[in-house]
Amino acid sequence: MDIYTIIFLALAVFIFLRLRSVLGQRTGNERPPFDRTARNALGGAPDKNVVTMPGKVIDQPPLAPTAEPAPPSDRWKGLTEPGTALAQGLDAIVDKDSTFDPRHFLSGARGAYEMIVLAFANGDRRSLRDLLSSDVYESFDAAIREREKNEQKTETRFVSIDKAELVGAELRDRTAQLTVRFVSQMISVTRDKAGNIVDGNADKVADITDIWTFARDTTSRDPNWKLVGTGSAN
């Protein structure tokens, strides 16, 4: 063995010992690598593999931390007068759920109303299931099945939603219920398989007044409301 071989061997041993001291060695007690998916979940980073479910229309975002409570006399200004049954119901709901904002709810309710009416006309069961309680869904589904049995199709078009106003508010145990009166204009017809109109008028705008009740469990992390009751003033 010549002098150069000895020098290279010594150098290799020296480098190995230095790397071992810096990188350490496995003992079987090391922490597992930090999972990227868990890190994204904890940090709030979006996961591109997660698909947002449809139907989440009426949600309730938390109020801004700096928002100051309004005086009792102005709390529901524009919605109802102080001391009314509606005001008392809203007070009970907000006492149970401080994030509740009836104005935000009404904005979402308008969108939900149009979505539900059109989904029913189109027989879109998937959208309806996300927006309705099980009892209401069964009622809507039965009407759709009857229409399908008779080979009929419904065509509905909104002209306008003129009003969406709260007419009732109630807290039952932990469940908040809000009743909304919708005043709208729409054109709706039902045709048979030959295209003949069996109900409605394709050339007439109908004035419709619906009274719907939505509910939400105030203790649930799910911020969305579902339709639990329907009625009509027509």
Side-chain angles (χ1 to χ4, degrees):
M1 183 179 296
D2 57 28
I3 186 65
Y4 294 106
T5 302
I6 295 174
I7 292 172
F8 282 125
L9 286 174
L11 183 61
V13 171
F14 174 76
I15 292 174
F16 171 75
L17 292 175
R18 290 288 296 173
L19 288 173
R20 191 165 184 264
S21 66
V22 172
L23 300 177
Q25 56 182 327
R26 293 190 177 275
T27 65
N29 296 319
E30 295 83 8
R31 291 184 180 181
F34 199 93
D35 181 67
R36 183 179 299 274
T37 303
R39 181 181 64 191
N40 288 345
L42 291 173
D47 186 342
K48 295 182 180 179
N49 294 321
V50 175
V51 178
T52 303
M53 294 299 293
K56 296 185 181 298
V57 176
I58 312 178
D59 62 354
Q60 187 61 53
L63 297 177
T66 56
E68 296 183 0
S73 59
D74 297 333
R75 194 177 201 181
W76 311 124
K77 187 175 182 180
L79 297 174
T80 187
E81 297 296 325
T84 61
L86 176 56
Q88 293 172 2
L90 293 174
D91 286 338
I93 294 173
V94 81
D95 287 346
K96 193 75 172 181
D97 180 4
S98 61
T99 67
F100 173 63
D101 181 350
R103 295 170 182 84
H104 178 86
F105 166 84
L106 282 175
S107 176
R110 292 175 70 98
Y113 175 65
E114 183 172 358
M115 181 180 291
I116 291 170
V117 170
L118 295 179
F120 173 70
N122 296 329
D124 184 356
R125 291 179 171 88
R126 181 178 180 181
S127 294
L128 291 174
R129 192 180 295 276
D130 290 327
L131 295 164
L132 313 180
S133 69
S134 57
D135 289 343
V136 176
Y137 175 80
E138 289 177 5
S139 176
F140 277 46
D141 180 57
I144 293 173
R145 282 190 278 108
E146 181 67 21
R147 200 166 60 205
E148 292 172 340
K149 176 183 176 182
N150 296 326
E151 300 184 71
Q152 297 174 345
K153 291 187 177 181
T154 298
E155 302 166 2
T156 298
R157 178 169 63 88
F158 273 91
V159 176
S160 65
I161 299 178
D162 300 320
K163 185 179 293 185
E165 61 178 353
L166 282 172
V167 295
E170 184 179 5
L171 182 67
R172 295 184 177 181
D173 294 328
R174 63 185 189 183
T175 301
Q177 292 193 356
L178 295 173
T179 300
V180 184
R181 184 166 71 97
F182 297 98
V183 178
S184 64
Q185 293 185 323
M186 66 180 76
I187 299 173
S188 184
V189 294
T190 300
R191 301 179 185 271
D192 61 21
K193 62 180 180 179
N196 300 313
I197 295 177
V198 296
D199 188 38
N201 189 327
D203 300 316
K204 181 180 179 181
V205 177
D207 296 318
I208 305 295
T209 300
D210 286 313
I211 300 174
W212 287 9
T213 299
F214 299 87
R216 174 181 175 268
D217 184 343
T218 57
T219 64
S220 172
R221 291 186 177 181
D222 184 354
N224 296 287
W225 298 71
K226 289 195 173 186
L227 180 63
V228 298
T230 62
S232 176
N234 295 92

